[in-house]
Amino acid sequence: QVQLQESGPRQVKPSQTLSLTCAVSGDSIKSGGVYWSWLRQHPEKGLEWLGHIYHSGSTDYNPSLQTRLTISVDTSRNEFSLRLTSVTAADTAKYYCARLELVVMGFDCWGQGVPVTVSS
Amino acid sequence: DIVLTQSPGTLSLSPAESATLSCRASQTVHNTHLVWYQQKLGQTPRLLIFGASRRATGIPDKFIGRGSGTNFTLSISRLEPEDFAVYFCQQYGSSPPTFGQGTKVEIK
């Protein structure tokens, strides 16, 4: 059974960088046919896709965040990471890592999510 | 970006009743890459339907997805206590993938 687990700080100061890591177990991050993704959910609002990465390192980002977002992969650790720079209060949300399955074109496996607050 | 508008925002129903949820797209969703999720309070989204009408593994046939183009629906028959949740639609016919704002199905 595939499991994803996010880790990282739950509070970040404005203008600083948010860094999160997703550890994947039960599946190899080198698996074909899947993208490893980051999403977030603002309180009382819908879900927002941030970006994803293929095991080769190929990435795709939401244009709204492209200038601030970097997603990287470490195949030796079977994990991938998010780095979001210059955060503001608008980046306060619950951050999820998830697996995008390309036959389904949907997110079939999710981490539990980590709430992140941007506050001084 | 494709905007997905879900209606109604909240659906108040009694157990054993049926629900019909709507998801309308601002543009055609290519290849009917439309997915439905169920999210219970405090839990992660669970993928129910993909390709607009195909049930994911382990999803009972009480969940039926229909639609194409810009209009999609999710029907849930014989509501049970565990079906009361928030349902989201999501498209990935075009990048970036986008989500609707959700429909809450609550107990009347």
Side-chain angles (χ1 to χ4, degrees):
Chain A
Q1 183 181 358
V2 182
Q3 292 189 322
L4 287 75
Q5 180 65 58
E6 304 91 346
S7 61
R10 299 194 172 209
Q11 185 163 345
V12 184
K13 289 182 168 53
S15 81
Q16 293 192 340
T17 296
L18 167 64
S19 295
L20 297 172
T21 296
C22 181
V24 179
S25 59
D27 188 16
S28 170
I29 209 161
K30 293 181 182 179
S31 295
V34 298
Y35 282 101
W36 302 98
S37 308
W38 287 99
L39 303 97
R40 68 184 179 185
Q41 188 169 29
H42 296 91
E44 306 301 324
K45 294 177 81 171
L47 288 149
E48 179 183 22
W49 171 78
L50 305 183
H52 59 225
I53 190 165
Y54 195 58
H55 64 78
S56 63
S58 171
T59 54
D60 192 15
Y61 298 129
N62 192 316
S64 67
L65 293 165
Q66 192 156 7
T67 59
R68 299 195 291 133
L69 180 62
T70 302
I71 298 175
S72 58
V73 64
D74 187 335
T75 55
S76 66
R77 292 178 175 266
N78 220 44
E79 62 186 32
F80 61 107
S81 299
L82 167 150
R83 188 169 177 270
L84 184 65
T85 62
S86 305
V87 297
T88 69
D91 295 310
T92 294
K94 191 166 191 178
Y95 286 75
Y96 293 97
C97 60
R99 187 178 73 174
L100 173 71
E101 209 283 341
L102 294 180
V103 171
V104 169
M105 292 305 278
F107 303 94
D108 67 340
C109 189
W110 298 67
Q112 286 302 306
V114 56
V116 176
T117 300
V118 178
S119 172
S120 55
Chain B
D1 298 4
I2 293 181
V3 177
L4 298 179
T5 302
Q6 291 188 244
S7 60
T10 302
L11 203 48
S12 298
L13 295 167
S14 300
E17 289 191 302
S18 296
T20 299
L21 288 61
S22 173
C23 175
R24 290 193 173 187
S26 61
Q27 304 169 42
T28 294
V29 176
H30 294 297
N31 300 316
T32 54
H33 283 314
L34 192 287
V35 176
W36 289 95
Y37 300 87
Q38 175 194 67
Q39 187 175 27
K40 297 180 183 178
L41 191 63
Q43 297 185 18
T44 61
R46 174 192 180 197
L47 196 154
L48 299 176
I49 301 285
F50 66 95
S53 61
R54 299 175 64 180
R55 277 184 293 275
T57 303
I59 303 303
D61 60 8
K62 63 187 302 184
F63 292 94
I64 297 175
R66 296 184 178 92
S68 63
T70 60
N71 290 308
F72 301 90
T73 60
L74 175 68
S75 298
I76 313 169
S77 59
R78 306 178 308 277
L79 285 164
E80 297 175 85
E82 60 267 28
D83 300 328
F84 291 92
V86 178
Y87 293 83
F88 293 97
C89 57
Q90 170 245 310
Q91 70 78 29
Y92 204 172
S94 305
S95 186
T98 52
F99 291 81
Q101 81 280 15
T103 290
K104 182 179 181 181
V105 179
E106 66 176 21
I107 299 178
K108 188 174 182 180

